Amino acid sequence: MKSSNREAALSKNEMVHLDITGMTTDGNGVGRCRNMAVFVPNTAIGDHACVRIIKTAKTYAIGKLLSLPRPSPDRMEADCPHFLQCGGCAFRHIRYPAELQIKEQRVRDALSRIGGLDAFPVQPIVGAQETDHYRNKAQLPISRGTDGELKLGFYAYHSHRVVPCEQCPLQPAVFDRAMQVFRDWERDFPQEVYDEATGRGCLRHLYLREARATGEVMVCVVANADALNGEDALAERLRDAIPGLQSVILNTNRERTNVILGKDCRTIWGESMITDVLCGLRFEISPLSFYQVNHDQTQRLYDLVKEYAGLTGAETVLDLYCGTGTIGLTLASAAKALIGVEVIPEAVENARKNAALNGITNAQFLCADAAKAAGELRQSGQLPDVVVLDPPRKGCAPGLVDTIREMAPQKVVYVSCDPATLARDLRLFADAGYGPVALTPVDLFPRTAHVECVTCLVKK
Ligand code: SAH
C-alpha cells in the first residue's frame, strides 16, 4: 500500500490549511491536501488558505474559504457586490496581469494535455486596455422577487436562479440605464413573468446591444407573447433615457427551452438592426446574429487573423462559421475572392448586406452547415487557398478537418473560443499535415474565465 493511501481521507466539515497552486478553467483555486485535490472558490494562486471542507468525493474535495493567513500577492479587493453570486466574472479578486498569465497557461495546458502538442509556438496573450464596461451585449433573465418587484440580472453559476443586479461592471452604463427604465416601466404596466417550470407567463429576457463605434443601442424584449401590454410606452421611455436608442424589438420565444431567443422578431420602434464600425468597415447587426462582444479586442483579434492569413490579392478565402461576415469582409480587399458560410439565415442576410454596405463585390455568402458546404465546395472543385475557421465552443464538426485536408489550402487560420476543443482540432490538423506557425491567445473577455485564441497553420 502506498503511504499516501494510509493518510486519513478528508472529511466533510473538517478545517484544513493549504496552498493554492493552480486554477480550474472556471476560475476556482486548487490546492492539494492529504493527496487530494481541493477546489476552493474565491482563491488565487499563491494564497495560503484556511478552508472548511464542504464536500468530498473519491479523488477531490470542495472547500469554502474561511480565512487567508497569507494572501497571494496577485490578490485584489473584488469591486462588485455580486462577484461569486453571479456566474459572470471569475477573476475580480485577482490582478489583471495574473489573470492573463492564468489564461495563457490554460491554453498551453490544453494543447499539451488534450492535443499532445507540447512544443506549440504560443505567443504572449494579448491583454485588453479596458477590463470593464467592454461588453456590447447583455442577455438578462427576468424573474419576480417575493416582494413582487421585477428581478433583472444574471444567472447564478450553473443555475437558473436570477441574481438581481442594478449595475454590472462589465457592461456599459447605458445598459444599466435601460434596465432601470425597463423595471420602472413594468411597475406601471405589469406583465406576467415567464415561469420555466410551467411554460406560462410572458417576460423571459431583456436583451441589450450597443454598437460601440456609433453608439447605437438596441433593446430587445424576449417574451412568450406576440405583444406587450404598454409596449409603445416602453419605447417612448427608452427613447427619453437613451440618446443612442436605434431599435426596440420584441422577440417571441414560445418554446420550452433554455435557448434564449425565439425565431420571430418584430420591431416595436425604430430600425430592425444597429450598425457598428469594426476594422474600418460598417456592420449591420440584427438581434439573431452573432457579433463579438468586445469591440476593441475583436479588432486586435481580426488584425491578427489578417496578419496570419498573409494575403497577396491572389487568394480565394473560405470563411467558415462566418456569422455576419465580419472576419472575411475585413480580409476581402486583400483577397481575390471570399466565400463565407453560416447556418443562421439572418446572419447570412446581414453578411450580404454588410458586403454591399462596404462596396465589397468579391464576396459571396452561403447559408449552410459549415461541414456540408465545405464538402460540396470540394466536390465542385472550388478550392480555397486560405481557410478561416471560427466555430462555436464545440469546435469543428466531425469530418470537417478531413474535408479541409482534401481541399488542401496553403493556410488555415483557426479562431477559437474554447482551448479544449481547439487543442483537439489542432491535433487533427497536425495529423492531416497542417503544422503550426503561431498561436496567440487574445483576452476578449476580461474578468471572466473565457479566452479566445487565433492559430496560424500551414500545409507541410
Ligand atoms: N466569425 C464570426 C462568427 C463566429 S461565432 C465572427 O467573428 O463574428 C460562430 C458562428 O458559427 C455563429 O454565427 C453561428 O451561428 C455559426 N454556426 C454554428 N454552427 C454552425 C454550423 N454547423 N455551420 C455553419 N455555421 C454555424
Side-chain angles (χ1 to χ4, degrees):
M1 198 191 251
K2 277 196 238 147
S3 67
S4 56
N5 288 356
R6 278 200 298 273
E7 283 180 315
L10 289 171
S11 46
K12 200 174 159 182
N13 288 326
E14 193 181 340
M15 213 172 80
V16 295
H17 281 249
L18 47 83
D19 289 315
I20 300 297
T21 52
M23 216 79 202
T24 64
T25 51
D26 40 25
N28 291 326
V30 196
R32 291 196 78 81
C33 185
R34 302 216 294 271
N35 219 27
M36 260 211 195
V38 184
F39 299 97
V40 192
N42 197 17
T43 53
I45 294 175
D47 277 343
H48 182 72
C50 175
V51 165
R52 185 179 302 289
I53 301 298
I54 54 172
K55 187 184 163 184
T56 57
K58 236 186 183 149
T59 54
Y60 71 92
I62 296 176
K64 182 176 190 292
L65 179 64
L66 295 180
S67 66
L68 278 172
R70 202 178 62 239
S72 162
D74 296 337
R75 270 196 171 268
M76 57 181 250
E77 201 64 44
D79 55 354
C80 174
H82 307 295
F83 178 54
L84 294 180
Q85 291 160 27
C86 138
C89 293
F91 295 121
R92 295 207 83 80
H93 64 307
I94 291 176
R95 285 176 216 287
Y96 190 49
E99 173 186 337
L100 290 175
Q101 282 319 304
I102 290 166
K103 289 179 171 176
E104 197 180 300
Q105 191 55 42
R106 186 175 148 210
V107 174
R108 292 180 197 277
D109 289 348
L111 289 169
S112 119
R113 286 178 198 158
I114 300 167
L117 301 161
D118 289 293
F120 218 83
V122 178
Q123 308 300 304
I125 186 168
V126 179
Q129 249 131 42
E130 306 287 340
T131 56
D132 276 332
H133 308 299
Y134 62 82
R135 284 192 64 95
N136 61 21
K137 168 179 162 180
Q139 289 179 313
L140 305 143
I142 302 172
S143 73
R144 174 111 38 219
T146 42
D147 56 0
E149 291 290 312
L150 204 66
K151 287 205 290 181
L152 269 181
F154 299 93
Y155 286 133
Y157 192 63
H158 279 181
S159 108
H160 272 202
R161 183 173 54 80
V162 176
V163 177
C165 173
E166 303 208 331
Q167 257 184 342
C168 167
L170 296 189
Q171 70 184 23
V174 69
F175 286 6
D176 301 333
R177 209 145 62 228
M179 288 162 72
Q180 181 65 48
V181 171
F182 188 78
R183 278 189 296 258
D184 291 347
W185 163 79
E186 199 275 341
R187 219 172 280 129
D188 297 338
F189 296 89
Q191 320 274 326
E192 245 189 286
V193 168
Y194 181 74
D195 180 348
E196 281 184 333
T198 62
R200 294 227 184 83
C202 171
L203 299 179
R204 295 176 73 131
H205 277 80
L206 182 64
Y207 168 25
L208 309 170
R209 264 182 158 173
E210 184 197 35
R212 200 39 76 89
T214 60
E216 292 180 8
V217 175
M218 170 183 282
V219 175
C220 176
V221 182
V222 185
N224 178 30
D226 298 319
L228 301 174
N229 165 30
E231 60 183 38
D232 293 331
L234 173 64
E236 204 177 306
R237 292 181 185 197
L238 286 166
R239 237 155 51 214
D240 287 343
I242 300 171
L245 191 74
Q246 180 79 3
S247 167
V248 181
I249 288 182
L250 178 71
N251 175 272
T252 299
N253 185 356
R254 294 193 176 282
E255 304 295 317
R256 291 190 67 175
T257 162
N258 53 18
V259 175
I260 295 176
L261 295 173
K263 289 197 174 63
D264 298 319
C265 289
R266 176 168 63 80
T267 305
I268 296 174
W269 176 85
E271 306 295 326
S272 61
M273 53 189 81
I274 53 175
T275 305
D276 203 6
V277 179
L278 194 70
C279 297
L281 299 178
R282 297 177 75 76
F283 290 103
E284 285 190 346
I285 308 150
S286 63
L288 299 178
S289 315
F290 177 90
Y291 187 67
Q292 290 286 8
V293 299
N294 184 336
H295 177 272
D296 295 359
Q297 285 296 88
T298 298
Q299 297 201 121
R300 301 175 82 182
L301 176 75
Y302 289 2
D303 284 348
L304 275 167
V305 174
K306 193 165 199 173
E307 183 189 320
Y308 285 175
L311 301 173
T312 64
E315 296 85 358
T316 295
V317 177
L318 176 60
D319 180 9
L320 295 174
Y321 306 94
C322 74
T324 55
T326 41
I327 297 182
L329 291 172
T330 61
L331 300 175
S333 65
K336 187 172 96 193
L338 165 71
I339 305 168
V341 179
E342 161 63 44
V343 79
I344 307 263
E346 287 78 7
V348 176
E349 219 174 282
N350 284 157
R352 290 180 183 139
K353 271 204 188 153
N354 287 334
L357 199 63
N358 292 288
I360 293 168
T361 52
N362 61 344
Q364 54 165 315
F365 292 95
L366 312 174
C367 185
D369 171 70
K372 224 173 136 214
E376 284 166 12
L377 289 168
R378 183 187 61 76
Q379 281 196 331
S380 66
Q382 287 177 271
L383 305 179
D385 305 290
V386 176
V387 172
V388 176
L389 283 165
D390 185 6
R393 259 180 235 172
K394 64 177 183 240
C396 289
L400 179 56
V401 176
D402 270 339
T403 308
I404 292 174
R405 177 178 52 78
E406 288 161 8
M407 289 200 279
Q410 284 308 311
K411 266 190 186 168
V412 174
V413 182
Y414 190 150
V415 178
S416 158
C417 56
D418 186 331
T421 56
L422 174 67
R424 178 201 68 196
D425 291 346
L426 291 181
R427 173 81 259 164
L428 298 177
F429 273 112
D431 297 342
Y434 283 83
V437 177
L439 180 157
T440 305
V442 179
D443 193 21
L444 235 51
F445 314 102
R447 291 355 210 149
T448 78
H450 302 285
V451 56
E452 191 90 3
C453 290
V454 52
T455 309
C456 180
L457 303 170
V458 286
K459 191 158 154 275
K460 282 191 273 202

